[in-house]
Amino acid sequence: MKQIQLGQSNLKVSDIALGCMRMSNLEISEAAKVLDASIAGGINFFDHADIYDGGESEVVFSKAIKELNVSRENLILQSKCGITKQGFNFSKGHIVDSVDGILKRLDTDYLDLLVLHRPDALMEPEEIASAFNELEKNGKVRQFGVSNQNPQQIELLKTAIEQPLVVNQLQFGLKHTGMLDEGFNVNNIYQGEQPSAGLLEYSRREKMTIQAWSPLQYGYFEGVFIGHEKFPELNAALDKLANKYEVSSSAIAIAWILRHPAKMQVLLGSMNVSRIESMIKATDVYLTHEEWYELYKVAGNILP
């Protein structure tokens, strides 16, 4: 498994990580098999959030990892907070209390990374800075990041916080290419999704690692595009490259993300051992320029 440096941190992480949102659907023994296969394949990074089944996914993870007797020092654990039943909450009290709950459920003394889960319109940068400082000082959180935030929201946070923001977690994949589309269509009629305000270029400039979530989804959780009858041309192209590189079509779709020079980290959402073992082979596939652009076009995108 290839490793990348996570943002401006000193963390070396697998370029493919496991997102644990659905882990609460598994028995402890099943979750242990998923984690064992992931670790055996080179994954050292595991993504959580306190909103995932009300924290139950974190509980299942902690119990399953104990069964494997894996050293905490060999794991990089990330969790997110800020989403509530009413909306979003980035107040200091909520952030600090959320981390305490996360640490208890994960049965660990610290998080390698805490991510603010989506933007809070009512956020006060100074209040967030105070929460980050307290959590860092107490040794509860070592690095910080955000999710689904645009450059101006990040710049607003940076007016107060002292720590570098090392990641931005964003949906990205062959059927969710807004960050690319607007770059291709500078000074043209915009053909893609809602503008992302130069997120891709901003992230590279600011040395923030983009964590690509739902890499195989189309729409907003409408489904997986791999093998879907709605996308015959895309799947034919994926299958052709899968045969060439002797991997699965899903691995090719993930390799397409990893091929971008932004050095993104892909978050897998599967809880199926064989699919995980299949998809992590993407780390060894290096698509050519021609192959990368062909997939972009057959996914339904138009180059100017």
Side-chain angles (χ1 to χ4, degrees):
M1 175 74 68
K2 289 187 177 68
Q3 293 196 338
I4 58 173
Q5 183 176 345
L6 200 68
Q8 298 179 54
S9 76
N10 59 358
L11 292 175
K12 293 291 186 179
V13 302
S14 51
D15 62 358
I16 297 175
L18 186 69
C20 299
M21 182 175 70
R22 300 180 179 88
M23 190 158 281
S24 62
N25 296 329
L26 305 180
E27 298 294 331
I28 304 301
S29 59
E30 295 173 324
K33 291 178 182 177
V34 167
L35 294 175
D36 190 39
S38 300
I39 294 169
I43 290 176
N44 68 352
F45 193 102
F46 299 89
D47 173 67
H48 299 271
D50 60 359
I51 196 68
Y52 294 162
D53 197 12
E56 188 59 27
S57 288
E58 293 171 328
V59 173
V60 173
F61 175 91
S62 67
K63 292 180 178 179
I65 209 72
K66 279 184 180 179
E67 285 199 1
L68 299 178
N69 198 28
V70 178
S71 171
R72 172 66 179 89
E73 288 67 34
N74 294 329
L75 302 173
I76 298 176
L77 302 184
Q78 168 178 288
S79 195
K80 303 182 290 293
C81 72
I83 296 180
T84 70
K85 293 180 180 179
Q86 292 75 33
F88 308 106
N89 188 342
F90 287 177
S91 67
K92 178 180 178 179
H94 183 79
I95 293 172
V96 171
D97 289 347
S98 295
V99 169
D100 285 340
I102 290 167
L103 295 178
K104 182 177 180 180
R105 290 189 294 273
L106 287 175
D107 195 16
T108 184
D109 295 327
Y110 68 95
L111 284 177
D112 295 282
L113 189 63
L114 174 69
V115 169
L116 298 177
H117 209 171
R118 295 192 176 273
D120 174 15
L122 303 180
M123 70 180 182
E124 296 283 358
E126 294 77 13
E127 194 171 355
I128 294 170
S130 180
F132 283 8
N133 289 341
E134 180 177 318
L135 292 167
E136 184 180 50
K137 180 181 178 181
N138 293 338
K140 295 180 178 180
V141 178
R142 297 185 174 179
Q143 304 287 341
F144 299 87
V146 298
S147 75
N148 308 290
Q149 294 200 20
N150 67 38
Q152 290 307 312
Q153 291 165 330
I154 295 168
E155 286 297 312
L156 178 60
L157 283 174
K158 287 165 66 174
T159 62
I161 63 174
E162 300 174 8
Q163 301 83 0
L165 296 171
V166 300
V167 302
N168 193 0
Q169 198 170 111
L170 302 158
Q171 186 175 3
F172 185 71
L174 275 164
K175 292 300 295 180
H176 195 101
T177 56
M179 288 190 292
L180 287 172
D181 302 340
E182 67 173 16
F184 284 127
N185 289 283
V186 171
N187 205 34
N188 288 340
I189 296 174
Y190 187 66
Q191 300 289 337
E193 303 169 20
Q194 64 179 2
S196 60
L199 257 175
L200 187 53
E201 294 77 13
Y202 173 85
S203 300
R204 295 181 70 182
R205 189 189 76 196
E206 297 300 311
K207 295 181 172 60
M208 293 181 71
T209 297
I210 292 174
Q211 296 179 322
W213 58 268
S214 290
L216 304 181
Q217 290 273 334
Y218 70 94
Y220 190 72
F221 292 106
E222 292 181 47
V224 174
F225 59 78
I226 300 293
H228 200 293
E229 60 183 10
K230 288 179 64 174
F231 312 109
E233 190 176 1
L234 172 57
N235 278 290
L238 289 169
D239 290 344
K240 180 180 178 181
L241 289 172
N243 288 331
K244 173 183 175 180
Y245 289 101
E246 299 182 334
V247 296
S248 67
S249 296
S250 296
I252 294 297
I254 292 165
W256 182 85
I257 299 172
L258 297 177
R259 176 63 175 83
H260 195 279
K263 293 183 173 60
M264 301 183 201
Q265 184 184 45
V266 176
L267 302 180
L268 304 182
S270 178
M271 292 289 108
N272 181 289
V273 168
S274 62
R275 288 176 190 163
I276 292 170
E277 291 173 337
S278 165
M279 289 187 285
I280 60 178
K281 293 180 181 178
T283 191
D284 297 319
V285 176
Y286 190 81
L287 299 174
T288 67
H289 267 73
E290 293 77 11
E291 291 166 345
W292 190 89
Y293 275 102
E294 180 62 19
L295 287 175
Y296 177 78
K297 289 189 290 184
V298 298
N301 301 298
I302 301 173
L303 290 173

